Amino acid sequence: MAKNLLIVESPAKAKTIEKILGEDFEVKSCYGHIRDLEKDDMGIDVNNNYHPRYMVPEDKEKVVKELKTLAKKSNEVWLASDEDREGESISWHLAEVLGLDPATTKRIVFHEITAPAIKKAVDTPRRINMDLVNAQQARRVLDRLVGFELSPVLWRKIGMQRSLSAGRVQSVAVRLIVEREREINQFTPESSYKVEALFAAKDINGKSVSFKADGPAKLNSQETAQQFLESCKGATYAVADVQVKPAKRTPAAPFTTSTLQQEASRKLGYGVAKTMLLAQKLYESGQITYMRTDSVNLSDTAMGDINNEINQSYGKQYYQSRRYKNKNESAQEAHEAIRPTYMNQHTVDDADTRRLYELIWKRTIASQMSDAEFEKTIAKISISTNKDQLTATGEVMKFDGFLKVYLEGKDEEDEEDTEGILPPLTVQQQLEFREMTATQKFTRPQPRYTEASLVKKLEELGIGRPSTYAPTISTIIKRNYVEKRDKEGVKRDVSILRLSKSGEVEKEVIQENTGAEKSKMFPTDLGMVVTDFLKQHFQKVMDYGFTARIEQEFDEIADGKLKWANMIDSFYKPFHSNIEVTLETAERAKGERELGIDAATGKKVIARMGRYGPMVQIGHADDEEKPRFAKLKSTQSIETISLDEAMELFKLPRNLGLFEGSEVTVNIGRFGPYAAHDKKFYSLNKEMDPYSVTLEEVAPMIEEKRKAKDERTIKVFEKEKIQVLRGPYGPYIKQGLRNYKLTKEQQEKAADLTIEEVKAIIEELKANPPKKVARKKKS
DNA sequence: CAGTGAGCGAGCTTCCGCTTGACTT
């Protein structure tokens, strides 16, 4: 008797479900989508109702073949892909490929992998929902049309590097980073003065302790700050009012993909790819639920386990059952929130995944814990010499609640986040004055995005899905549109006015570091030029609301109220004619910017995109004299480089003079600063600055490097361009860029090898490349 | 390995979303 075949998307789920369903079911996975659009002609018949042409990609042939065989042998096939647009489409593709009748094939869905949920699903099968499938086809076709028509426009109008790309998601992600960078570049900080007074009073043990009180509103100039401090000279201070208020804090919802990525970034410093890799490991070993989800929901079984765990570990008073609602409209909630499979497992053995696991465990537990309760004290302090009041605030925790386990991190560190404890204060109480300061504060621009805060923003805009956040970031980095790096800060002066006990106002200037960044997303010049080009010509697709708008139309298709080909048609007609107009009329985008005039020649200096990257240029191509060119340094940008910095770049190459009868020049090349001498190249040592290094320093370096190279060279066959060299593992053969290893016996007579022998060795090694030994895994 | 800086127009690149291995160091 043939069994039932049930197909899910993920192999880890298949295993669990097979255990739950027992012998009647064989559960297999299809590993996500099994078909995609052909690449030729976009895989879409644009002139025939956008009819899609699907094919099974090469890497899916094996699994499709296996499923076909199993389906034939089975009594009945059940399709159990995820319950969302993509999942419905996967079921439909499976039905098509396996030759199942969509009108009779059983389709089941569940949001959690628990026995009751699976059994209930099997008891209530439905059919494939073609409206939902059509909504997915519309999504797929639209993304293909946008991506495969926009990208070639970039190849034609920007050029630069091969593999330029544009798409509904990636181009908007780059735009966010580009616009944030410009906001920061254009930002002018405004300064104001913050008044803070230090007092002393006796605490409950009668010991004198100091505490801070804030001044009235921020003062916007040094003069007003000075005046305020002067007006407090010789004053006495008394408590005018004390208020005590209760306050509380509530825990955050369980993790989704996006919040897990954000929190792992803030608390563990992981990039989104690392977080997802570790989460995948935990998922595959059965320790957490599925890690690509937009749902904050917990299964009933999990809720019960969490209740038990909190009662046992912390006590009943720490438990508070909570249901979280998703704030995000675009969420499709095909899975649970990310949580540990077994709540009584507080940690895992594997050191790599432990920190992430513990973060997930804490967040999940905390989400069902009581509020943290505080008592907030606000004391007003009067000043005898003027009408203003100072305010001292203190916070005391009365009950820790969920804070016993976990506190969610913040993206921006607030400097004024430290509310301490106040000594007991009573109205009319006279306070001992220690000092009062007015410190200059500067407004700050929005911070640059981290990988995770970019994901957060994309999610808010409804752009991208849990499975694509990390890959999208890899793509825009790989395309060289953005880069993740650090930036050094700059020093700036901060004025502090201080009124001391003795009654004098003194001024002090200290320095602070500002604008330093660590592991942030910066746009490249290429990213800026591409973004400007796309914004100028394809405003609609680049709009932050574009995805949200078409999602509404996909929903209408899913509800059966709109035909998908009609929806695509009304998008594509104007889009495609826009493509044609742009190809015909748009100028090549160069991101050109005028920097000023070269004092020596009176010619214009411009910064722009060249064929090989960002560069500066003196003069014009039409001039009688050829223009001069120089490449920008990797830390410089077309948008921000100054004339002086540009002129500095033209100081290279420098001719240092003659050494052994030939000229020595220094320059910065593809691989960093180098010296050229007698047609050979020598990388400059780290401490050598190409702008100032002298012949006296370079000449000995050349001799040294030449000697080292001679010592490494055993034999040279000039004509064949083959060398026998001495490396750290003994003699080896080098031909062009490739190295060939010698056997022990060959190494011993390396100096006597003839050209015939060397050629034979190379032929042999090319025909039978030595097997690579896999490196041992770190344990 | 260390140049080039515009365009001959050969032949190449590209999207988003669903899933894991199969490769290499």
Side-chain angles (χ1 to χ4, degrees), chain A residues 702-718:
Chain A
I702 291 177
E703 281 185 307
E704 197 182 305
K705 294 204 165 168
R706 198 165 50 191
K707 202 176 138 209
K709 203 184 165 196
D710 284 346
E711 281 170 3
R712 277 175 44 224
T713 310
I714 298 170
K715 211 161 194 176
V716 180
F717 300 102
E718 200 83 41

Side-chain angles (χ1 to χ4, degrees), chain A residues 56-126:
Chain A
V56 177
E58 210 178 317
D59 57 338
K60 288 293 164 64
E61 277 171 9
K62 202 178 141 198
V63 64
V64 166
K65 200 178 154 196
E66 192 193 348
L67 290 175
K68 272 185 182 168
T69 315
L70 290 169
K72 264 189 207 141
K73 286 197 285 190
S74 306
N75 228 356
E76 185 150 40
V77 180
W78 301 60
L79 301 175
S81 47
D82 297 343
E83 184 179 33
D84 57 17
R85 199 163 65 202
E86 299 296 327
E88 201 66 19
S89 160
I90 288 175
S91 276
W92 176 71
H93 281 293
L94 280 167
E96 291 266 302
V97 169
L98 302 180
L100 309 171
D101 181 358
T104 59
T105 303
K106 285 179 175 157
R107 163 87 171 108
I108 63 167
V109 294
F110 33 80
H111 298 163
E112 49 186 68
I113 315 294
T114 55
I118 305 285
K119 283 178 180 147
K120 191 182 163 205
V122 170
D123 288 340
T124 54
R126 57 171 175 82

Side-chain angles (χ1 to χ4, degrees), chain A residues 79-359:
Chain A
L79 301 175
S81 47
D82 297 343
E83 184 179 33
D84 57 17
R85 199 163 65 202
E86 299 296 327
E88 201 66 19
S89 160
I90 288 175
S91 276
W92 176 71
H93 281 293
L94 280 167
E96 291 266 302
V97 169
L98 302 180
L100 309 171
D101 181 358
T104 59
T105 303
K106 285 179 175 157
R107 163 87 171 108
I108 63 167
V109 294
F110 33 80
H111 298 163
E112 49 186 68
I113 315 294
T114 55
I118 305 285
K119 283 178 180 147
K120 191 182 163 205
V122 170
D123 288 340
T124 54
R126 57 171 175 82
R127 308 289 162 218
I128 292 172
N129 177 346
M130 279 314 292
D131 289 331
L132 199 51
V133 172
N134 287 336
Q136 193 276 343
Q137 297 202 87
R139 199 281 304 156
R140 180 68 193 91
V141 165
L142 182 131
D143 281 337
R144 171 57 69 85
L145 291 170
V146 170
F148 274 38
E149 294 213 348
L150 274 186
S151 301
V153 177
L154 299 183
W155 306 340
R156 292 274 297 277
K157 297 297 180 182
I158 308 232
M160 256 296 291
Q161 66 186 35
R162 286 168 27 161
S163 83
L164 285 183
S165 66
R168 175 176 58 83
V169 173
Q170 59 169 281
S171 297
V172 177
V174 177
R175 179 181 171 185
L176 284 166
I177 295 166
V178 166
E179 292 189 345
R180 177 61 53 87
E181 189 69 20
R182 287 185 174 147
E183 267 175 51
I184 293 169
N185 286 342
Q186 282 156 20
F187 186 83
T188 31
E190 285 173 15
S191 90
S192 60
Y193 284 76
K194 189 188 172 220
V195 172
E196 227 173 44
L198 205 59
F199 295 106
K202 293 213 159 59
D203 70 5
I204 41 173
N205 301 318
K207 202 176 127 199
S208 184
V209 292
S210 63
F211 65 94
K212 274 183 191 168
D214 291 333
K218 278 187 177 164
L219 305 168
N220 49 24
S221 73
Q222 194 169 317
E223 289 71 48
T224 52
Q226 175 92 26
Q227 279 164 21
F228 181 78
L229 292 197
E230 299 278 353
S231 79
C232 293
K233 263 187 183 174
T236 57
Y237 302 85
V239 177
D241 179 47
V242 179
Q243 280 188 32
V244 180
K245 286 183 194 162
K248 65 173 187 176
R249 242 189 254 173
T250 56
F255 279 134
T256 61
T257 303
S258 145
T259 54
L260 176 68
Q261 289 173 349
Q262 290 159 42
E263 198 65 346
S265 163
R266 293 187 283 235
K267 288 201 163 157
L268 309 178
Y270 295 170
V272 295
K274 178 170 183 180
T275 299
M276 293 313 283
L277 189 77
L278 296 174
Q280 177 91 27
K281 272 190 179 177
L282 286 167
Y283 167 67
E284 281 173 14
S285 58
Q287 288 163 308
I288 61 168
T289 53
Y290 196 57
M291 65 284 155
R292 290 186 276 264
T293 176
D294 50 21
S295 168
V296 289
N297 200 38
L298 298 168
S299 74
D300 290 338
T301 0
M303 293 282 279
D305 292 349
I306 295 166
N307 188 353
N308 285 340
E309 190 55 41
I310 294 171
N311 286 345
Q312 266 174 34
S313 298
Y314 307 105
K316 260 193 164 39
Q317 72 276 24
Y318 279 94
Y319 179 71
Q320 185 179 332
S321 172
R322 301 169 193 266
R323 290 274 177 200
Y324 293 89
K325 277 221 176 89
N326 209 317
K327 286 180 210 155
N328 199 332
E329 276 183 26
S330 65
Q332 308 194 4
E333 313 215 35
H335 309 92
E336 272 188 80
I338 304 171
R339 62 159 174 95
T341 319
Y342 309 106
M343 293 310 309
N344 56 6
Q345 197 187 333
H346 294 207
T347 186
V348 291
D349 292 337
D350 177 38
D352 280 353
T353 51
R354 190 178 300 143
R355 295 176 74 200
L356 191 71
Y357 180 85
E358 288 176 359
L359 192 68

Side-chain angles (χ1 to χ4, degrees), chain A residues 37 52 88 93 147 251 316 346 425 428 481 497 516 607 642 651 737:
Chain A
L37 295 170
E88 201 66 19
H93 281 293
K316 260 193 164 39
H346 294 207
L425 297 173
Q428 305 270 317
Y481 293 152
L497 304 177
S642 68
K651 291 186 177 164
L737 289 177

